[in-house]
Amino acid sequence: MLIKKEMTGQQAYQKLTDLCARSEHCQQEMIEKMRQWGVSKEEQAEVMDRLIAERYVDDERFARAFIYDKIRYNKWGRSKVEQALWMKRIDDSISKPLLDEVDDEEYLKILRPMLKQKRKSTKADSEYELTMKLIKYAMSRGFTMDIIKQCIEVEDEDEFLD
């Protein structure tokens, strides 16, 4: 059995600054790491205060990068991004305004091609069943119903034009 050696606050600070220098992280991730390393609550608070003061950790900056990445690269909708930020304990006062900055057009640019591709590979007995399957798929990706409706309506219009 391996015995984990507890880390001091200074050692944790050193490791976390290295980690933060490579990529964005939120306060919750840093606290969780220190908890796993066995850093005392008092030292955790001191290290977090120092990381925040020295701007290694900034939840707003993290949220902005997280939202950008998840929407553009992972092709997530607003609901899924919102839930992920909530799980990372990013305050609503930070996440809501940043999510509101993302224009509906951005979501539409992502969802339209996804639904077009999904439509080709989805089997259904009727147009209604196909539409329901596409809606369910888009919702599982975190898109809101108003965005989905706009895409589905465009898909239906495109079908008549073909």
Side-chain angles (χ1 to χ4, degrees):
M1 185 169 109
L2 243 66
I3 299 172
K4 266 191 167 179
K5 187 178 155 192
E6 288 187 5
M7 208 180 271
T8 66
Q10 184 58 38
Q11 290 170 322
Y13 171 78
Q14 208 56 51
K15 276 187 110 166
L16 293 176
T17 55
D18 289 346
L19 188 64
C20 289
R22 284 184 257 135
S23 63
E24 289 294 337
H25 294 279
C26 64
Q27 291 181 37
Q28 182 56 36
E29 291 172 337
M30 301 294 99
I31 290 168
E32 183 58 30
K33 288 221 179 280
M34 287 188 283
R35 189 191 62 72
Q36 289 172 354
W37 294 336
V39 177
S40 71
K41 293 263 187 212
E42 298 81 31
E43 285 183 308
Q44 282 182 29
E46 289 173 21
V47 170
M48 278 311 303
D49 289 343
R50 193 168 166 197
L51 288 171
I52 292 168
E54 295 174 4
R55 303 213 11 99
Y56 280 105
V57 175
D58 181 346
D59 278 354
E60 185 175 345
R61 190 177 63 214
F62 168 80
R64 188 176 300 281
F66 186 86
I67 291 167
Y68 179 84
D69 286 351
K70 295 302 175 190
I71 291 172
R72 285 173 184 84
Y73 301 117
N74 294 44
K75 299 186 183 335
W76 286 6
R78 181 187 174 114
S79 302
K80 195 166 182 172
V81 173
E82 219 167 10
Q83 184 180 25
L85 288 171
W86 178 81
M87 290 178 71
K88 291 191 176 287
R89 296 197 177 118
I90 302 296
D91 194 62
D92 280 351
S93 63
I94 294 171
S95 64
K96 292 268 189 242
L98 293 174
L99 283 164
D100 289 341
E101 285 178 12
V102 181
D103 190 33
D104 283 355
E105 273 304 310
E106 188 75 33
Y107 294 117
L108 290 170
K109 275 196 297 190
I110 292 167
L111 186 57
R112 278 187 185 124
M114 283 173 55
L115 287 179
K116 200 169 201 146
Q117 190 64 38
K118 188 70 174 171
R119 181 180 282 273
K120 292 175 187 172
S121 65
T122 304
K123 293 181 182 14
D125 294 333
S126 67
E127 188 60 33
Y128 174 79
E129 185 182 350
L130 178 63
T131 301
M132 289 299 111
K133 285 182 176 185
L134 291 175
I135 289 171
K136 188 176 179 181
Y137 170 74
M139 289 186 90
S140 75
R141 302 290 301 176
F143 291 93
T144 57
M145 200 58 200
D146 60 319
I147 299 292
I148 297 169
K149 279 182 183 176
Q150 289 179 48
C151 289
I152 296 288
E153 287 166 7
V154 167
E155 287 285 317
D156 290 343
E157 288 172 15
D158 287 349
E159 224 173 75
F160 292 121
L161 296 174
D162 289 340

